[in-house]
Amino acid sequence: MRLAVFDCDGTLVDGQAPICNSMETAFASAGLPAPERHAIRRIVGLSLPQAVRLLAPEAEEERRRHAVEAYKEAFRACRLDGTLEEPLFDGIAEAIAGLAGRGWTLGVATGKSDRGLTSCLATHGLAERFVTLQTADRHPSKPHPAMLEAALAEAGALADDAVMIGDTTFDMEMARAAGVRAVGVAWGYHSEDELREAGAALVASHPAELEDLLP
């Protein structure tokens, strides 16, 4: 059993536009100054409450809670009105198919909600590719290892036979905490240098490289 667990936003899909738009709407609703978009992209991958806390460290807890709920509403509205855009990165679908064809069992560990991840995978026809889906609804935020530990248990894999594939230092740190090999991707929201410093054993510059890096 070889298990490859993918992050979602910044690794499978480019979700920065709806994330940034929803965060700006949420902060306005909570009466907080909008964070810079660069700062928003930096926290992609964390659970929503932790992300808001980092973006508004001086805000009152009540305002942060308001922002969290407003973000959920704004993101849900995008999904319902058909304006939500989370395109797959070029080559990701082929990389997933290639790894599955070579015997890798696949999973996802993401800061998205259950609903958000299910919708995203269904939109791209990928839902059947993954045997384990771990989200922020049921686990502490990355880099806590709970998501990966649950993925290993659900898939019946050992940590030594698993990899975590992600675009942020949170993914790399989570992998290290779970005793899983960390593989970074350079097309997401954190730099290659940051990924290596956080523990990435390998960094792919394009999805097509994943098959070569994971023989």
Side-chain angles (χ1 to χ4, degrees), residues 17-28:
I19 289 171
C20 288
N21 291 340
S22 296
M23 195 67 76
E24 289 168 352
T25 298
F27 271 58

Side-chain angles (χ1 to χ4, degrees), residues 155-203:
L158 299 176
D160 286 346
D161 298 321
V163 297
M164 175 67 207
I165 302 168
D167 70 299
T168 69
T169 58
F170 316 128
D171 297 311
M172 304 302 99
E173 291 166 1
M174 178 175 66
R176 290 176 60 192
V180 169
R181 185 162 54 131
V183 175
V185 302
W187 54 85
Y189 306 140
H190 289 186
S191 72
E192 180 174 346
D193 287 344
E194 289 175 309
L195 296 174
R196 292 190 183 279
E197 289 174 6
L202 304 164
V203 177

Side-chain angles (χ1 to χ4, degrees), residues 12 15-17 21 39 44 55 65 75-76 93 114 117 127 135 137 146 182 187:
L12 296 178
Q16 63 177 301
N21 291 340
V44 172
L55 290 172
R65 285 197 297 268
F75 206 92
R76 186 178 302 118
D114 285 333
L117 178 60
T135 74
D137 283 348
W187 54 85

Side-chain angles (χ1 to χ4, degrees), residues 52-154:
V52 170
R53 191 176 303 116
L54 288 176
L55 290 172
E58 305 300 326
E60 299 173 356
E61 186 59 31
E62 182 177 350
R63 287 184 183 272
R64 289 203 292 256
R65 285 197 297 268
H66 182 106
V68 167
E69 294 306 315
Y71 178 95
K72 293 177 182 178
E73 288 299 321
F75 206 92
R76 186 178 302 118
C78 288
R79 184 182 302 117
L80 293 176
D81 67 19
T83 61
L84 180 61
E85 295 184 1
E86 297 177 301
L88 286 177
F89 286 103
D90 290 342
I92 277 292
E94 293 81 1
I96 288 172
L99 289 173
R102 295 169 69 172
W104 283 88
T105 298
L106 306 178
V108 178
T110 175
K112 281 184 175 296
S113 66
D114 285 333
R115 179 184 297 177
L117 178 60
T118 298
S119 175
C120 180
L121 296 180
T123 295
H124 296 296
L126 294 176
E128 300 304 316
R129 289 290 191 184
F130 301 100
V131 303
T132 178
L133 302 175
Q134 307 301 326
T135 74
D137 283 348
R138 289 169 283 117
H139 298 289
S141 177
K142 298 174 183 180
H144 193 284
M147 287 189 198
L148 275 182
E149 291 169 347
L152 291 169
E154 193 167 307

